[in-house]
Amino acid sequence: MKRVVCLTLALLAVLVTIVYSESYETYFKFQITDRAELDKLTTVISIDNVKELDVYAYANEKQLSRFEQMGYTYTVLPHPGSLIVPEMATTKDGLAAWDAYPTYTAYVDMMYQFATTHPDLCQVINIGTTVQGRALLVAKLSDNVTLSEDEPEVFYTSSMHGDETTGYIMTLRLIDSLLTAYGSDSLITRLIDSCEIWINPLGNPDGTYHGGNSSVSGAQRYNANDVDLNRNYPDPDDGQHPDGESWQPETIAMMDFATNHNFVISANFHGGAEVVNYPWDTWSRLHADNTWMVNISRAFADTVHHYAVSGYMTDLNNGITNGYAWYTITGGRQDYMTYWRGAREVTIEISSTKLLPAGQLPAHWTYLRTSMLNYLENALYGIRGIITDAVTGQPIPAVIRIPGHDSDLDSSRIFNDPDVGDYHRMIAAGTYDVEVSSPAYYTKTIQNVTVTNNAGTRLDIALDPLPVYPDLQYVSHDGGLINPGGDVSMHITLKNNGAGSATTAVGTLTTSDSYVTITQDNSVYPTIDALGGTAASFDFYAFSVSPSCPMYHQADFSLVMTADGGYADTVTFSLNIGQIAEGFETGDFTAMPWEMSGSLPWTITTTSPYEGADCAQSGAIGNSLSSIMSVTQTVTSAGTITFHYRVSSESGWDYLRFFDNSVEKEKWSGEVGWTEISYAVSAGTHTFSWRYTKDGSDIGGSDCAWVDLIVFPPISSAPVITTTTLPDWTAESPISQQLTASGGSGTLTWTDKNGDLSGTALNLSSTGLLTGTPTAAGTISFTARIVDGAGGNDEQLLGFTVNAAMIITTDSLPAGFVDQPYSQSLSASGGTGTKSWGDKDGGLAGTGLTLSSGGVVSGTVT
């Protein structure tokens, strides 16, 4: 009977916890038809696993509502944190066999007991508290635990998903094993003597103890605010808040902790699969150190296979996978640590069962122990050393890059520890150049540094300090667009890259450009601090631009600078004159060939523009719709497109996106005030698009986006026919009249649009030459059309009069008398314009008479 009662209570606990969990998060399964669907789904729900086309996921109430609107059929599964009632231990002694889970109080007591029992090797710190006030504890293990030494800092954390608890016990036991085996186990001794080891066994205690401090039964994935902590970090591709949630206390604590340390290698332990997942999760491209990442992941899995039962940790590529190749996520801690902190982190899934029966924990320790130790040992391999000041010998902060290997896209450079100066650059075997840079120091590159497998290469580097002088550089001006015929007043902002501050700096503006006349050339600056300080001139510089200055003209300027201490230098910069900009000040979209698509067009609004009276605003679309504004332009030479944008939307879900030729350059959501952004643009035809897109539910803020003051790179203007009138003509006289146009790009092609010249004996060539001989008097009208190489076009209605052929109507003249003056006017009809007469064959020569151009015969015959 006693046995039956216990079973009933256990089942009741399971049922109660299931109801409690489901009120916060739902665990479910559904099918997709194409893996491309995951890119959208990962922004809506928390994908947990993907097996071929079967997807397992979690969702809180808001996420589930979004998901349901996408039309998928799904099956709710029993929550993984509620499938068993595990054995619990209330003291460290009760965990002696490591076949139970500690209560929360026992966990905290155990962590601090590690430090009490091993004070020379262990410290325990609380890096922050959770939503519900539980502690986020981290143990530091080192042979000189109170000191910072020339040692790599390594970091393990587990169970940021609260219902994935196997890693919780594995990392807790790892702390115990490192401390108790120190001095007797050679690898453990080497690790503690050579590294600073930091271990956080429980990254989401509110989730793990969701059912109460006395048991991990009822554990949930999310934290107490129903947020997935492994989607809550800044993402290198999707911005600071890719999940649309504020940073949680647990996230902030971990980011602050990582910022205050220089972790070289790290890992976070999860459950639900058995595989080592390496970066990237957010990008399909491979990391610059992908070869090294594959090698260390393969070593971890292969070592596990040696110690484990057959079939353990064989998911995906026999126990390893690239994160994106499995399924993409945004806001993961792995990518945050690797991209933002310069560390190298992987995600290690160590148990297909999330809440593992406690009796199976010792076996998993056997499987994983050696791999967990060996993974940390990677920090001792590669290139390492100390960066110091060549004069003082003191450590200095520095950035270490491998030219030709490291990628700015991956942010794969690393940092040294500024307090000790040590750096640790793990890398695959090979020969590399090593570049070291630091503010106020000359950059140094060491060539042909050889790295071998499972060994460390020592490379200490001393950097020579820069002279303590200012080094001023042009940054920007606030004079707005500069156009031919304009007057410009502007403050000029300078940046000081030098190691000395610029005090009492004075600038004098000069130029040799013939189109520019400087009218105010002098200004004083406030102190411009060394190593990156900026300041704008107190006074305006001013100049005027000649009206004859061509469009897209680049004017070169010099700013002759002096400052206290004898500093003198010349800062050079160039300004573009005659840029084409769209500020929507026409009150409509007629200034450029705008095209609208999507569900609703953009509109013009006078509400809070960036500049002027108007700006463009996205259409008032509903859920799952878009509003698109596009313009196609021919860029004549490489340059930049610059524009200002503003967004008020549901953060992480509804976005303003900018595209160049269908390539998304960036996207923004949430509350973003007017911000300027620029992108490089190559020569050629470009379609620039601004798209406001909404997900399947909910709104935020004003639920729209705005764009203003778009400054285009050099573009060809639309062709314009500049011939607006034609001269009248005379029948039976040949015509050869060239029509003219301006603007356009490529070849300009002319046509008689409606064929009106047919039958007039006239023809308009493709080059715009009107030729022929009209045979009859009358009026001729036709529409000239021009098309440029980019499809731009213009039309002009042209007309002229063809007068009758000219006829001299005087056919005889009266007689005259010798020695008497003679004057007689000739007459004619027809023709065009002023008639000019002449004595064609010179028959009047020697007669005493002449024919004037006005048609008068006069003189005296002798």
Side-chain angles (χ1 to χ4, degrees), residues 528-540:
I528 310 176
D529 294 333
L531 302 176
T534 62
S537 58
F538 280 125
D539 300 314
F540 284 106

Side-chain angles (χ1 to χ4, degrees), residues 15 134 261 361 447 582 626 776 780 829:
L15 291 174
R134 294 185 176 94
H261 293 270
L361 293 171
Q447 297 180 324
E582 169 68 282
S626 63
I780 296 177
S829 66

Side-chain angles (χ1 to χ4, degrees), residues 706-787:
W706 299 263
V707 172
D708 202 359
L709 193 56
I710 306 167
V711 180
F712 290 92
I715 60 176
S716 60
S717 57
V720 176
I721 297 175
T722 54
T723 298
T724 57
T725 60
L726 290 174
D728 291 344
W729 210 251
T730 301
E732 300 180 7
S733 296
I735 293 176
S736 181
Q737 183 75 33
Q738 178 66 52
L739 307 188
T740 60
S742 65
S745 61
T747 302
L748 302 179
T749 303
W750 294 79
T751 57
D752 170 20
K753 179 184 178 184
N754 301 316
D756 293 326
L757 295 177
S758 178
T760 66
L762 299 179
N763 175 69
L764 180 63
S765 74
S766 62
T767 61
L769 184 63
L770 180 66
T771 59
T773 302
T775 58
T779 299
I780 296 177
S781 297
F782 68 99
T783 300
R785 176 179 171 82
I786 190 169
V787 179

